[in-house]
Amino acid sequence: MIVLGIETSCDETAAAVAREGPQILANAIHSQIARHGGYGGVVPEIAARAHVEILPMVVQTALLQAGLDWSAIDAVAATQGPGLPTSLAVGFQAAKALAVRLKKPFFGVHHLEAHLYSIALAPDAARSPALFPALVLLVSGGHTALALVEGPGRYRLLGQTVDDAAGEALDKGAKLMGLPYPGGPAIERAAQSGNPRAVQFPRGAVVNARRDVRVERPDCCFSFSGLKTALRYYLAEHPIEDEAGRADVAASYQAAVVDTLATQVVRALEFERPVSLGCVGGVARNSELRRTLSEVARRHGLPFFVPPMDYCTDNAAMVAALAVERLRQSDLPTSLDADIVPSWPLQVGREAC
Ligand code: KG4
Ligand code: ZN
């Protein structure tokens, strides 16, 4: 079973080919960072236009990489949501058109469910008898969630952020520190020579989330907006004077984010009994976070799975891989009348199965 997957939910134009395993036969991606860098964030209009311009070439590249022609494709999948409406629409409509042309089924994929399933793309995951149920921390620019993943597309949402996402906190924090976009990698680089204990920033491990935050465990939630505000106040009183000072602020800020995330993972491990621990999403590229969580996993006697760097940030490999599972399980394809779902939360409980 071979699936062509397309991902255009934000500013990455991506196409990939996957088969059972999951095995990724091709992964083509074009990052638009250069087009948005000057604006300090993603500009939706620029992103959508770039997707229209670049997607055909990216799809061709994926097929070439896989060494396949169109006749080998058994299904076409695309991210249906959540994401920027104009960006989502480009990949979703293109994938539907391809499915019609090829007379193959079409699958609309939930971007966050694809991220959650991406632990299966970790190099050692396929060979591991102990992958699911996995406690997975999903940390990206738009989302921060903690889920007990029981299998492809099957999960229980334990906790999530009550305000900003971890990646958003890093991106906004970087801007305040005078670092470039995207902020996460910039903070990681700056933090390398800094002292993580130089500034005591607040931790945002929420233990009593508001009732309107739909999660299974209100004591496993996160809050990052206070951290960003604390940074703003700190910088107003202590403006950055040199690179050493910037490094200390970056290291301390990064430590607050990592510490908050790890605290809630440890809390969840007090009552859940997963067979592995995973971390996915763009912020999972962060080496300090990986180091901290692999230590948590080691202390709990669990294997730790994190996808290769290219499958942490937005990519189509995770979209294609999840659709392969849906095809394999004979799930109903998505109707060609279906539309994008720009605001599509993770489901609470088992109804998402
Ligand atoms: O998953 P992703 O590509 O896009 C979303 O779906 O949001 O995640 C992007 C986020 C950005 O906030 C970026 O700053 C962060 O991932 N990021 C990192 C690193 N690389 C990317 N954060 C911390 N350390 C990194 N090395
Ligand atoms: Zn993402």
Side-chain angles (χ1 to χ4, degrees):
M1 274 167 199
I2 296 185
V3 174
L4 169 71
I6 290 176
E7 150 68 39
T8 62
S9 67
C10 190
D11 62 338
E12 251 96 31
T13 317
V17 181
R19 70 181 317 154
E20 305 93 311
Q23 200 187 337
I24 305 304
L25 305 178
N27 183 45
I29 183 153
H30 182 281
S31 168
Q32 301 177 10
I33 284 178
R35 299 185 191 221
H36 302 278
Y39 298 93
V42 177
V43 184
E45 268 317 303
I46 294 179
R49 268 184 235 176
H51 287 312
V52 171
E53 189 189 310
I54 297 161
L55 185 60
M57 182 194 74
V58 170
V59 170
Q60 284 294 346
T61 306
L63 277 181
L64 263 172
Q65 263 182 28
L68 299 172
D69 64 37
W70 291 108
S71 61
I73 303 298
D74 296 309
V76 185
T79 304
Q80 189 170 1
L84 296 172
T86 45
S87 286
L88 283 169
V90 178
F92 192 71
Q93 298 302 348
K96 277 205 274 190
L98 279 173
V100 171
R101 183 88 191 274
L102 298 171
K103 298 194 174 63
K104 298 292 180 187
F106 166 70
F107 290 96
V109 171
H110 192 300
H111 180 79
L112 304 178
E113 292 182 5
H115 269 304
L116 287 177
Y117 182 55
S118 69
I119 56 158
L121 302 177
D124 35 358
R127 289 186 303 279
S128 171
L131 182 57
F132 299 120
L135 179 67
V136 181
L137 175 69
L138 161 57
V139 268
S140 71
H143 302 87
T144 298
L146 194 53
L148 206 275
V149 179
E150 292 161 344
R154 290 185 291 122
Y155 57 88
R156 288 165 40 219
L157 179 62
L158 301 176
Q160 62 178 327
T161 181
V162 300
D163 42 53
D164 291 354
E168 193 178 352
L170 290 165
D171 291 338
K172 289 178 177 169
K175 217 171 185 175
L176 293 172
M177 288 176 222
L179 290 167
Y181 166 85
I187 287 185
E188 176 167 15
R189 272 193 306 276
Q192 268 160 14
S193 54
N195 172 10
R197 281 179 288 278
V199 188
Q200 190 55 36
F201 286 120
R203 270 49 177 166
V206 173
V207 292
N208 54 353
R210 302 181 314 263
R211 291 180 68 170
D212 59 312
V213 180
R214 296 200 60 235
V215 288
E216 224 182 274
R217 303 282 313 204
D219 57 343
C220 282
C221 288
F222 311 87
S223 166
F224 290 106
S225 66
L227 172 61
K228 183 192 60 197
T229 308
L231 173 66
R232 181 173 288 125
Y233 282 125
Y234 177 84
L235 290 176
E237 281 180 26
H238 311 86
I240 288 173
E241 283 170 359
D242 53 21
E243 289 313 309
R246 196 186 322 271
D248 280 349
V249 175
S252 303
Y253 193 80
Q254 175 178 267
V257 171
V258 170
D259 215 33
T260 301
L261 295 169
T263 298
Q264 296 304 60
V265 167
V266 171
R267 195 188 307 281
L269 286 172
E270 284 169 17
F271 52 85
E272 294 292 345
R273 290 282 163 267
V275 300
S276 72
L277 177 65
C279 185
V280 299
V283 184
R285 292 174 76 131
N286 187 276
S287 52
E288 195 50 33
L289 179 61
R290 286 173 178 236
R291 198 189 54 71
T292 305
L293 291 181
S294 75
E295 179 55 25
V296 168
R298 195 192 58 75
R299 282 205 311 270
H300 287 79
L302 299 172
F304 177 57
F305 295 116
V306 62
M309 292 291 189
D310 284 354
Y311 303 153
C312 288
T313 34
D314 287 346
N315 66 88
M318 63 185 190
V319 173
L322 185 53
V324 166
E325 281 304 313
R326 286 174 58 182
L327 192 61
R328 215 169 60 81
Q329 293 165 11
S330 307
D331 274 13
L332 273 184
T334 305
S335 160
L336 292 173
D337 294 332
D339 206 349
I340 53 166
V341 189
S343 303
W344 194 1
L346 286 166
Q347 300 288 321
V348 183
R350 289 169 199 275
E351 73 267 35
C353 303

